[in-house]
Amino acid sequence: MSIVWFNGALVEDRVTIDPADRGLTLGDGLFETIAVHNSRAIWLDEHVQRMEHAADELGIGFDEVSLRTGVAEILHKCTFVSAVLRITLTRGVVDSRALTGSGAIPSLLVTLTEFNGANPSAISLATSSIRRNETSPSSRMKTLSYIDNILAAREVMQRADDALMLNMAGHVACATIGNLFLLKGDQLITPRADQGILCGIARAKFLPRAREAIVTIADLHAADAVFRTNSLRLVTQVTKLDDRPLGLRSLDDIKHFITERIAP
Amino acid sequence: MSIVWFNGALVEDRVTIDPADRGLTLGDGLFETIAVHNSRAIWLDEHVQRMEHAADELGIGFDEVSLRTGVAEILHKCTFVSAVLRITLTRGVVDSRALTGSGAIPSLLVTLTEFNGANPSAISLATSSIRRNETSPSSRMKTLSYIDNILAAREVMQRADDALMLNMAGHVACATIGNLFLLKGDQLITPRADQGILCGIARAKFLPRAREAIVTIADLHAADAVFRTNSLRLVTQVTKLDDRPLGLRSLDDIKHFITERIAP
């Protein structure tokens, strides 16, 4: 069951869209997924700002008033204890067949879906052969063109819970649905923003106490603990990489740290 | 004006779609664009086969009977002299939030749009900083996740008609909307299938008389002529690369060769 808002109004469970909308035809758009607890959208401002910055870079119109209205109308209808709010912004229909076509009126879709909350406490990773493409600005945006993450997740699904994605230089980038951190002594380390990663909102919460660096697979194996961050799933310990156990230092203090950052 | 067929029936100018359809939410699907002249779809079988192979690789259900039915119903309504047939196949709605979610009923969209036929006889290229990601199988499929081609085209739009995309090794891959060939003496050369390219249907028509190779930017500058192939635009000469003139040998024999291959 979902609650759906599309281009200005709550709608039934389907959306009626132009078949030439570039979100549908070319993955030409952006999205955010946001945790909702007791009708409160967690870190909403940060998600909205990230979408706005990426929309500017893509040249997609961004109407914050409309977006905020859609979110408010959806949350007003929310009866779920835990839910996922998803905001999808597409370029809309452009004025020519060209990839550079412009003049579009963007489409804005907001959905709210119940979240069963069955987050695993620990996951395994396996290294994907598919690299993150840090030569593209899209590697740093949450665009609708998500096929490489899907392919990477599918590639490893028989042997691990998520894929480790390296960048073109062979350095650690991220998982398919989250950023990676490692604990080494009293240091908290995460791949740098230029390493082909989407800079996650949960990741940003740790940055004040973390160091950004170039991270290698060897660094992960040598760490005291490795974890994945994600706005919905928060902190999940990674206990295995390519079937080799990783450091298992407790993450209780880490989890406490991020839980505190979900502002009351 | 378009004619639209969606999931089994001709519809008005809008489609009604589940907001969780992965084609809309994650660029998780495939498309083909096919030239139509006098209600005849050019190289239809080749396009359908390419989509089927990619759907198999992505694990997306492919129903050729339904697809052929949609195409036939659309073409039956066609009153355009020249048109573009687009087939879009999405994974549909999957059974979980996971990227690896399955159990979906695919969505199939077929549209026909008049083509004004204003193909340029020559174009310029400028080299994009965005590389093709040959580590991903998606570089060899026509997926809905098209954002890198869009970004590359937008990057050069003030200084050229299309972008030259290199692969991660720095070798020539393709343009954003077509494959590249070069003429050198009596040799016809095109980047190899493993160079991060989508193997175009028009490209395939030249392969019997071409050699696949690793191609460099220097090779393009040293060629007697460079051209781009595309199923809709067929053969277009490239006269400039990064503001430097390229070889200008006539392509009349080339154009004649491919026109003959549009089987009567």
Side-chain angles (χ1 to χ4, degrees):
Chain A
M1 249 309 278
S2 292
I3 307 172
V4 183
W5 184 99
F6 185 59
N7 285 346
L10 289 163
V11 296
E12 292 300 314
D13 59 347
R14 294 283 185 282
V15 294
T16 300
I17 190 168
D18 193 305
D21 189 293
R22 292 255 297 234
L24 178 62
T25 60
L26 296 176
D28 191 6
L30 296 160
F31 72 106
E32 296 288 335
T33 50
I34 301 164
V36 173
H37 296 297
N38 298 317
S39 301
R40 193 162 56 84
I42 308 299
W43 304 329
L44 177 63
D45 290 349
E46 290 90 330
H47 285 282
V48 171
Q49 281 162 26
R50 180 167 72 178
M51 177 173 270
E52 180 172 15
H53 289 149
D56 283 351
E57 193 164 351
L58 288 173
I60 296 177
F62 182 81
D63 178 350
E64 184 173 342
V65 172
S66 177
L67 188 157
R68 296 275 186 180
T69 302
V71 169
E73 290 183 14
I74 283 263
L75 291 179
H76 187 69
K77 289 270 184 188
C78 178
T79 57
F80 309 128
V81 174
S82 288
V84 178
L85 180 71
R86 178 178 158 128
I87 304 169
T88 304
L89 174 70
T90 82
R91 192 183 299 276
V93 180
V94 300
D95 57 8
S96 82
R97 293 196 59 79
L99 293 182
T100 53
S102 61
I105 299 168
S107 290
L108 189 57
L109 169 67
V110 186
T111 61
L112 188 76
T113 310
E114 189 165 19
F115 190 55
N116 65 17
N119 275 335
S121 59
I123 55 164
S124 59
L125 293 182
T127 307
S128 171
S129 64
I130 299 170
R131 302 292 178 96
R132 294 283 296 182
N133 182 358
E134 68 266 27
T135 70
S136 177
S138 73
S139 67
R140 297 180 286 281
M141 302 178 201
K142 205 166 177 74
T143 81
L144 301 178
S145 288
Y146 227 63
I147 198 74
D148 281 352
N149 287 32
I150 294 168
L151 281 163
R154 288 177 61 86
E155 181 187 10
V156 307
M157 64 192 280
Q158 301 300 330
R159 53 197 165 98
D161 301 307
D162 195 357
L164 168 65
M165 298 189 77
L166 307 177
N167 63 21
M168 291 298 161
H171 300 137
V172 169
C174 51
T176 70
I177 57 162
N179 292 111
L180 294 173
F181 282 81
L182 59 92
L183 262 173
K184 179 80 176 170
D186 60 357
Q187 290 219 308
L188 190 56
I189 300 160
T190 193
R192 271 190 342 219
D194 64 358
Q195 296 294 294
I197 66 166
L198 176 74
C199 289
I201 304 300
R203 175 183 181 273
K205 301 297 168 185
F206 282 113
L207 278 190
R209 61 171 284 192
R211 180 167 64 86
E212 294 179 278
I214 289 174
V215 174
T216 66
I217 289 184
D219 292 333
L220 296 183
H221 283 296
D224 299 325
V226 175
F227 60 95
R228 183 187 71 184
T229 59
N230 170 298
S231 287
L232 302 180
R233 296 164 182 84
L234 300 179
V235 175
T236 311
Q237 188 151 19
V238 182
T239 54
K240 275 201 286 191
L241 170 59
D242 294 323
D243 288 328
R244 278 180 58 190
L246 294 173
L248 291 178
R249 198 170 120 194
S250 164
L251 292 180
D252 286 348
D253 54 334
I254 294 288
K255 291 185 177 180
H256 182 67
F257 178 83
I258 198 166
T259 308
E260 276 185 342
R261 302 226 155 194
I262 302 176
Chain B
M1 249 310 279
S2 293
I3 306 171
V4 183
W5 182 100
F6 185 59
N7 286 345
L10 290 163
V11 296
E12 293 300 314
D13 60 346
R14 293 284 186 282
V15 294
T16 300
I17 191 167
D18 193 305
D21 190 293
R22 292 255 296 233
L24 179 62
T25 60
L26 295 175
D28 191 6
L30 296 160
F31 73 106
E32 294 288 335
T33 50
I34 301 164
V36 173
H37 297 296
N38 299 317
S39 300
R40 194 163 55 83
I42 308 299
W43 304 329
L44 177 63
D45 290 349
E46 290 91 329
H47 284 283
V48 171
Q49 281 162 25
R50 180 168 71 177
M51 179 173 269
E52 181 173 14
H53 289 151
D56 283 351
E57 193 165 351
L58 288 174
I60 295 178
F62 181 81
D63 178 350
E64 183 172 345
V65 172
S66 177
L67 188 157
R68 296 273 187 184
T69 302
V71 169
E73 291 184 14
I74 283 262
L75 290 179
H76 188 69
K77 290 272 184 186
C78 180
T79 56
F80 309 126
V81 175
S82 288
V84 179
L85 180 71
R86 178 178 160 128
I87 304 170
T88 304
L89 174 70
T90 82
R91 191 183 300 275
V93 180
V94 301
D95 57 8
S96 80
R97 293 196 59 78
L99 293 181
T100 53
S102 61
I105 300 167
S107 290
L108 188 57
L109 169 67
V110 186
T111 60
L112 188 77
T113 310
E114 189 165 17
F115 190 53
N116 64 18
N119 275 334
S121 60
I123 54 164
S124 59
L125 293 182
T127 307
S128 171
S129 64
I130 299 170
R131 301 291 179 93
R132 293 283 294 182
N133 182 358
E134 68 266 28
T135 71
S136 177
S138 73
S139 67
R140 298 181 287 280
M141 304 178 201
K142 205 166 176 74
T143 81
L144 301 178
S145 288
Y146 227 62
I147 198 75
D148 281 353
N149 288 32
I150 294 168
L151 281 163
R154 287 177 61 85
E155 181 186 11
V156 306
M157 64 191 279
Q158 301 300 329
R159 54 197 164 96
D161 300 308
D162 195 356
L164 168 66
M165 297 188 79
L166 308 177
N167 64 19
M168 291 298 163
H171 300 137
V172 169
C174 51
T176 69
I177 57 162
N179 293 110
L180 294 173
F181 283 81
L182 59 92
L183 263 172
K184 179 81 175 171
D186 61 355
Q187 290 221 304
L188 190 56
I189 301 161
T190 194
R192 270 189 346 218
D194 65 357
Q195 296 294 294
I197 67 166
L198 176 74
C199 289
I201 304 301
R203 174 183 181 273
K205 302 297 168 186
F206 282 112
L207 278 191
R209 61 172 284 193
R211 180 167 63 84
E212 293 179 277
I214 289 176
V215 174
T216 66
I217 288 184
D219 293 333
L220 296 182
H221 283 296
D224 298 325
V226 175
F227 60 94
R228 183 188 71 184
T229 59
N230 170 298
S231 288
L232 302 181
R233 295 164 183 85
L234 300 179
V235 175
T236 311
Q237 188 151 19
V238 182
T239 53
K240 275 200 287 190
L241 171 58
D242 294 325
D243 289 327
R244 278 179 59 189
L246 294 174
L248 292 178
R249 196 169 123 196
S250 164
L251 292 180
D252 286 348
D253 55 334
I254 293 289
K255 291 184 178 181
H256 182 68
F257 178 83
I258 198 166
T259 307
E260 276 184 343
R261 302 226 155 194
I262 300 176

